Amino acid sequence: MQATSVVFNTKPVLAPIHVKSLYSDPYSSSLVASQSNWVNRKKSIKLRSRRQSQNRSYLIQHKLQNVQGRCLHQNVEQLNRANILNRRQPVSCFLYPQTKQILVKGPKNGVFLDKSSFHLSKQPRANVKKLEVPRATVGPDEPHAAGTAWPDGVLEKQGFDMLDPEVERAEFEQFLRSGLPCHPKLHRGQLKNGLRYLILPNKVPPNRFEAHMEVHVGSIDEEDDEQGIAHMIEHVAFLGSKKREKLLGTGARSNAYTDFHHTVFHIHSPTSTKGSEGDCLPVVLDALNEIAFHPKFLSSRVEKERRAILSELQMMNTIEYRVDCQLLQHLHSENKLSKRFPIGLEEQIKKWDADKIRKFHERWYFPGNATLYIVGDIDNISQTIYHIEDVFGQTEMDNESNSAPNPSAFGAMASFLVPKLTVGLSTNSTHDRSSVSLDQSKALRKERHAVRPPVQHNWSLPGHSDDAKTPQIFQHELLQNFSINMFCKIPVKKVRTYGDLRNVLMKRIFLSALHFRINTRYKSSNPPFTSVELDHSDSGREGCTVTTLTVAAEPKNWQNAIKVAVQEVRRLKEFGVTKGELARYTDALLKDSEQLAAMIDNVSSVDNLDFVMESDALGHTVMDQSQGHESLLAVAGTITLEEVNATGAEVLEYISDFGKPSAPLPAAIVACVPTKVHVEGGGGEDEFRISPEEITSAIKSGLKEPIEPEPELEVPTELITSEQLEELRCKRCPSFLPVETDSNITKSYDDETGIVQRRLSNGIPINYKITKDEANCGVMRLIVGGGRAAESSHEKGSVIVGVRTLSEGGRVGNFSREQVELFCVNHLINCSLESTEEFICMEFRFTLRDNAMRAAFQLLHMVLEHSVWLDDAFDRAKQLYMSYYRSIPKSLERSTAHKLMLAMLNGDERFVEPTPHSLQNLNLESVRAAVMDQFVSDNMEVSMVGDFSEEDIESCILDYLGTVRPTKGFEKAQQYSPILFSAAPFSLQHQQVYLKDTDERACAYIAGPAPNRWGFTFEGSDLFESVVNPSANDLNFFPDELEQSNTNLQGRIRNHPLFFAIAMGLLAEIINSRLFTTVRDSLGLTYDVSFELNLFDRLKLGWYVISVTSTPGKVHKAVDACKNVIRGLHSNRVAPRELDRARRTLLMRHEAEIKSNAYWLGLLSHLQSPSVPRKDISCIKDLTLLYENATIEDVYVAYEQLKIDENSLYSCIGVAGAQAGEDVSASLEVEEIDDGLQGIVPMGRGSSTVTRPTT
C-alpha cells in the first residue's frame, strides 16, 4: 500500500540529489494540462516519499512551492505512476488553478516551471583563532533562536594565514570530525519491553498530532512460501481493529503501508474532540497497540482482505509497475530485494489461512521490534510518556528478556538515541537483556535483524568486482518510448559530522551545475532525448545509496540520446564546475537554508515526522532547521573549487570512465523499450530491435565525442532598469481606481480576513493578503479568463500548445532563456505557467529577501509585455503532444477514460488532448494569437499572499502591473462554443475498451452531469432561481451575530453563493464513504473506488466521475454496485453520523491548510473576476459556518442535481489481457482521444517497493 507523498522537512544537505532535464520533460509538473479535467488530474500509483517512496527522481530543483519541505531533506516522489485516474482529489469549495507539486509529472513548462536553482555570492569570511563547533542557541524563551552569523570557531580555508599550517590543518580536520548537533526538542526513550519511542512537539497544525507505529518487518523477512504475507497482515490488522473504527467521526484519519522492511500504521488525530473532556492521545495509542500487537485474525476478515489484495495486485500491475520490478530485479540481482516485492504473489495469497498469517505475526510483531513516533501539538512530554507506558508497557512483558533490542538491532538508528529520557531501561540493562542468544530468540519465535534491510549488496566500487554486467533489455508491447537506466550502488554514508555534511554540500553544488546545463544546452527543434535525469540519493528502504542516469527518448533517437547524455556527464567530470557556478549554487543553497530556518515554526507535523523517520533509517543525525542552517554555514566557507570538482567527479565515474579498468562497474544497465514503433508518414508500426552490444557501443560512442569547457554566462541582476521603469511610469501613469463602479473607495480592506482589494487604472483587479504564517515568503498568481474553452473548432489545441510553446521558449525581451533561468536562480523565484479548460494561470513563489519579490514582478511584467515566441519552441511543443496522443493505446486507464469523455461530451476535443490532425493544422501565429488574445488587462486578475509590507507590495503593484499596457478584450476572451452533454444512444453511453496485454487487469469509469460550483447547469438553469426555495422547516439559521454582520447570508444557508459548493463537497465525502464500505469492504469487488466532482467556476456545467479498479471477472458487477450506491441515497437516507463525519473531514482539511500561502491564494482567486460574479468575500468568511450549519436536507438538494438516471449516466469498462476482445489501438485511428499528459512511461523503481494505502 502506499499513500500520497509529501515534501519533507530536513536539512538541505541531506536532500537526495536529483538532476533532470526540464527540456521536453514529459513527466514533470503537468502545468500545461487542462487541470480541471478529471482525466488529467487523476494521479497514478503514488509512492511514499523517502520513507514511503523508492525511486530515484528526487529533485534538486529548489522548490519555493513548498518551502518548509525543502528545508533539510527535499524528499520527493519522482513521478506519478500508471493510472492517470487513480488519484482521489478532494472536492474543494474553491477549485482554482493549482500549481502542481513536484511529485506530479507531466510536460514541464520550460523556463517557467520550478526553475529556481542555487545561486551564491561570496560569503563574508571571518578569521578566527579558536575552533568551536557551531550549535543552535537554545533558551527557555526562544527554543529555536539561532544566529545566522558565522560561528566564531569556524576555520575557513581562505583564512589560514593566521596560524601555523600544520596547526590549522589539524584544527580543521578536528572540526570536520566534530559531530553535528542533535535536534534539541526531540525526545527519545525505550520501554522495558523494548519498544522505542520518539516524541517531537510541533505546533503545526494546531491541536493535532501524528502517531506512527513502525514495525520493523516487511517483505524482505518473508520466506519463499510467505511472499506478500506482511502486506496481508497489514490489511487484516488495520481494517480488523475495532478500536480504530471508534476513531471514525472524531476528525482522525488513519492508514497503513508495507515496504521491504517496514510496516507502518499511522493515525492523524485531533488532540481532543468537541464535547469530550479527555485527551485523544491514549485512545489513539490504544488503537495502535491493538493494530500492531493484538490483532484478531478472524477468518471473515482474512477472506475479505484476501479479495481486496488480489484486486490491489491487479490494479498495481500496470506497465509502469512492471518496469519498476524489472529495474529492481537487475539492480539488486544478488539479494532478496530483487524478488520480494511487498504486494506478494497471487498464487500464495490465495492459499494462506488465518493460522499461517498469525504465526508470521507472532514471529515479528512485538514491541522490541517496533518504534513509535509521536509528532504534534504536545506540550506535556512527561504525560505523553506516561500514556505510552500505560498503553504499551504490559505488551509482551512475558518475553521481556528477549524483546529488548541490542544497540545495533536496528542498524543506523540505534547509535544516536539522544537525548534519552530517564525512563525505561538504562544502558546497562539494555545491554544485558540484548545478550540473549539467537537460539533462545528463535525458541520464542521472536526475530529481528541487526541490519535493516538484512541483505548483502555488490557495491559499485573500484576493485570491488571484475564482473561487468551485460545491459539488460525489457521489451513490452505496452511501452511507447525508449528509456535506459545506468545504476551505481554504494554504501550509505551517514551524515553525522561536519565533514559528512561538507561532502554532501559539494556533491549538491556539482550536480546542480549538471542540472542547469542539461536544461539549457539543447534547444534544437528535434533534440535526441525527451528527458535526461541524474539522481543521487540514499534509500533506507534498500539499504544503499544509488546514483541513476536515466535517459528517455523517442525510439528512433535512442543512440544519439545516450551519446549526448554521456557526453554531458563526461564534460562536467572532466572540466568541473566553473567559479561562477560554484558561487551561484552555493549561495542558492545558503539562501534556501536560511529561508527554511526562518520557517522553523511553520513546518507541519507530518513533514517533521517523515524527516525523523527517514533520518533514523539512514543513520543521519537529526537536526532542526536552524541547526541545519548553522551547520551548512559552518562548512560552506571551507569548500574550494578543486574539492567540489573532485568530490562530484567520483559520483560520475561509473559513467564518464565506463569501460576503463579503474572505473567502478555499474550495478546494472537496464533498457526498457517497445516491441513496435510508429512509422512516420506512412503510418503503421515496425518491429523495434535493439541488442546489449548496441547499447554498450552507444555509451562508448558518447565517451569519444569531443567536449569543451563550459563558458561563463552573464546573469542579469534585473530585467527592468530603474531608467526603464521611470519611463514606464511617465508613459502609463499608474494609479488605483475605485474598486466598485458605484463607489469612490480605491482600497477595500476586510478586517476579519485581512484581504485587500484594489483595481489599477489599466483595469487589472488586485487582491492581496499580508500574513506571517510563512516567514519571508510570498506567492503571486495571475489568472486570465478563457483557457481551452476558447479554442475555436478550426484551431483545436491552440491554447494548450501555445502555453507550452511560451514555456518552452523561456525568453522575454532581449534576455535569453538561460539568462531568465539564472535570474530566477539568483532570486530563488519559482514560476509556473499552465492552461486549464477555463483559465490560463501563471504563478510565482519567491522569498522576501534580496529584492526577490520585485524580481518576480519584473518577470511577470516582461511576460505580459515582451514575451518572445520561437519556432523551435513551437515545434517541440507540438511534437510532445503528438507523442502523448500516440501513447494512449498503451494505457488501459487512459484509453478507457478518453472513450468515456468523448462519449459524454459529444467528442469535444477541448477536454482531451489534441489529435495529430489538429496539431498539424496549427502554426506559431495561430497559437500565439490564441494565448495572447486572452492576455488583455480587463481579462486578468492578480492575487498575492505573503509576509510583505503594505508599502512594498503596493509599490510593486503600481510599478510593474500598473505599467502594463491597458488593453480590452474581455468579451472576446469569454466567448466559447457551447459545451454539451451527448444525447447519445445506449450503445455509446455504455462502452467497453479492450487492450491486449500479457497480464489481466480491468478498470471502469462512470460519469454524469452536475452543476458548476455556483449553481449553473449545462441546461442553462440557475439553481438559485429554480431550486432554492426553502421553507422554514428545512432551513438552518445562523447565530444572531452573524445575521447582524454584512455577510449577505441573510440568515439562510441556501441563499449563500457558496451553497452548492459546500453541499456538493459534503455529498462527495458521503458517497466516497459508502462506495468503500459497500463495493470494496462488503462485496469485495474492488480494491480502489472513488467518487470525484469536477465543478467549474466560469463554465456553466460540471460532472461527477466514479473510478473503480477490478478484475475482468468482477468489473461488471463492480460497476453495477457503484451505480446502486450512487442511486441508493433515496432508499438509504444519509444518517446524521455520515454528515458529521463528512463535515469533520472537510473542516479538518480547511484547518490544516489555512496557514498556507498557497491555500489563501486559492481563496483569493476570482474575488474580482467578472467571469465568476458570484464569488465575493463572504465565500471566504463564511466557509466554516457554512460547513457547520449544513443539514442533511441541504445535501439532498445537491444530490438532486446529479444526473444519475440511465439516460444521463455514461460508463466505460476497460479490460486488458491476452484474450481481450479487441485491440484498443484499432479504434484510435478514427477516434480523437485523451492522453492525460503521460505519454512517456515514467521509469523508476518505485511502485514495486511499497504497497498502496490500506484505505
Side-chain angles (χ1 to χ4, degrees), residues 1071-1127:
I1071 292 176
N1072 262 313
S1073 179
R1074 288 195 174 190
L1075 284 170
F1076 180 88
T1077 301
T1078 304
V1079 185
R1080 196 267 197 198
D1081 211 32
S1082 297
L1083 300 178
L1085 297 173
T1086 181
Y1087 171 78
D1088 187 53
V1089 60
S1090 66
F1091 175 89
E1092 184 177 344
L1093 280 168
N1094 188 21
L1095 306 179
F1096 290 107
D1097 285 290
R1098 187 174 69 91
L1099 301 180
K1100 295 184 177 181
L1101 79 159
W1103 58 72
Y1104 64 87
V1105 179
I1106 299 175
S1107 309
V1108 60
T1109 60
S1110 190
T1111 64
K1114 294 180 179 179
V1115 67
H1116 289 85
K1117 291 181 180 179
V1119 168
D1120 290 339
C1122 291
K1123 292 179 182 179
N1124 290 337
V1125 168
I1126 195 172
R1127 290 171 176 163

Side-chain angles (χ1 to χ4, degrees), residues 116 178 307 665 756 1043 1096 1194:
S116 300
S178 301
R307 293 195 302 267
L665 295 175
V756 177
E1043 290 190 44
F1096 290 107
D1194 295 329

Side-chain angles (χ1 to χ4, degrees), residues 1153-1223:
E1153 295 292 337
I1154 199 66
K1155 296 290 186 179
S1156 161
N1157 285 353
Y1159 186 70
W1160 271 106
L1161 198 60
L1163 297 178
L1164 293 179
S1165 297
H1166 311 314
L1167 268 182
Q1168 298 189 65
S1169 172
S1171 61
V1172 188
R1174 282 190 172 153
K1175 183 168 183 180
D1176 58 27
I1177 198 75
S1178 71
C1179 296
I1180 302 172
K1181 296 167 66 173
D1182 303 335
L1183 181 61
T1184 298
L1185 284 170
L1186 289 169
Y1187 276 130
E1188 290 175 342
N1189 288 274
T1191 65
I1192 291 176
E1193 288 72 22
D1194 295 329
V1195 172
Y1196 275 96
V1197 170
Y1199 176 62
E1200 293 298 332
Q1201 310 315 313
L1202 299 184
K1203 304 297 183 181
I1204 58 176
D1205 59 280
E1206 202 61 34
N1207 293 328
S1208 302
L1209 186 146
Y1210 299 81
S1211 66
C1212 190
I1213 294 174
V1215 176
Q1219 305 299 320
E1222 62 180 84
D1223 192 338

Side-chain angles (χ1 to χ4, degrees), residues 1023-1037 1049-1056 1059-1060 1191 1193-1194 1197:
L1023 297 179
F1024 281 97
E1025 296 177 357
S1026 60
V1027 173
V1028 178
N1029 185 23
S1031 66
N1033 293 329
D1034 57 8
L1035 282 179
N1036 271 6
F1037 288 84
L1049 291 178
Q1050 300 176 356
R1052 299 170 181 258
I1053 187 173
R1054 296 189 188 176
N1055 289 328
H1056 197 284
F1059 168 72
F1060 282 101
T1191 65
E1193 288 72 22
D1194 295 329
V1197 170

Side-chain angles (χ1 to χ4, degrees), residues 657-919:
D657 294 349
F658 180 80
K660 294 182 179 179
S662 60
L665 295 175
I669 301 175
V670 187
C672 301
V673 304
T675 56
K676 295 182 179 181
V677 293
H678 177 76
V679 178
E680 297 289 343
E685 293 183 322
D686 278 349
E687 296 290 332
F688 181 71
R689 294 182 175 85
I690 186 173
S691 68
E693 293 74 21
E694 290 176 305
I695 294 173
T696 302
S697 177
I699 295 172
K700 291 183 176 179
S701 296
L703 298 175
K704 298 176 182 177
E705 292 291 320
I707 55 175
E708 296 178 355
E710 183 77 6
E712 291 282 10
L713 185 65
E714 182 181 352
V715 183
T717 58
E718 54 188 6
L719 300 180
I720 301 173
T721 66
S722 56
E723 293 79 9
Q724 292 170 328
L725 180 58
E726 187 58 35
E727 183 180 345
L728 282 170
R729 288 182 185 135
C730 295
K731 184 177 180 180
R732 302 280 161 77
C733 301
S735 64
F736 291 114
L737 299 180
V739 176
E740 302 290 344
T741 55
D742 56 351
S743 171
N744 293 324
I745 299 175
T746 61
K747 183 176 183 178
S748 172
Y749 175 76
D750 182 75
D751 291 329
E752 184 177 339
T753 62
I755 293 172
V756 177
Q757 297 181 65
R758 291 282 219 168
R759 183 172 294 272
L760 288 165
S761 51
N762 56 12
I764 300 177
I766 304 293
N767 312 304
Y768 70 83
K769 174 180 170 62
I770 299 174
T771 173
K772 301 294 184 182
D773 288 333
E774 295 184 27
N776 298 321
C777 287
V779 292
M780 174 169 60
R781 175 180 293 148
L782 164 72
I783 293 181
V784 180
R788 291 204 66 192
E791 292 176 351
S792 63
S793 59
H794 61 282
E795 291 181 345
K796 299 174 183 177
S798 57
V799 171
I800 195 170
V801 175
V803 168
R804 179 60 191 246
T805 299
L806 187 59
S807 300
E808 280 288 314
R811 289 185 56 181
V812 293
N814 295 321
F815 299 103
S816 68
R817 170 178 171 159
E818 293 91 337
Q819 289 177 308
V820 174
E821 288 183 357
L822 289 178
F823 177 79
C824 292
V825 167
N826 287 4
H827 293 92
L828 287 183
I829 297 172
N830 169 26
C831 178
S832 63
L833 181 64
E834 64 177 324
S835 63
T836 73
E837 292 92 339
E838 302 183 284
F839 305 101
I840 297 174
C841 172
M842 192 168 192
E843 185 166 316
F844 298 82
R845 294 171 182 264
F846 46 85
T847 64
L848 273 298
R849 55 164 289 172
D850 296 340
N851 289 316
M853 180 169 73
R854 189 162 288 271
F857 272 88
Q858 288 183 6
L859 180 55
L860 176 56
H861 178 98
M862 294 296 288
V863 171
L864 296 176
E865 293 282 276
H866 304 289
S867 56
V868 179
W869 294 78
L870 303 173
D871 284 310
D872 62 333
F874 168 69
D875 290 340
R876 292 197 299 273
K878 189 168 67 172
Q879 186 59 42
L880 280 171
Y881 282 106
M882 197 83 72
S883 177
Y884 303 154
Y885 178 89
R886 290 172 180 153
S887 71
I888 297 169
K890 309 294 186 179
S891 168
L892 178 66
E893 288 78 14
R894 297 199 331 256
S895 300
T896 307
H898 96 266
K899 198 163 189 176
L900 175 68
M901 286 293 293
L902 291 175
M904 182 172 70
L905 295 175
N906 203 26
D908 197 329
E909 197 175 311
R910 290 172 292 180
F911 296 89
V912 296
E913 295 312 310
T915 64
H917 176 74
S918 298
L919 291 169

Side-chain angles (χ1 to χ4, degrees), residues 23-24 521-528 872-873 876:
Y23 178 75
S24 302
R521 182 172 301 281
Y522 300 95
K523 298 184 295 293
S524 63
S525 296
N526 296 295
D872 62 333
R876 292 197 299 273

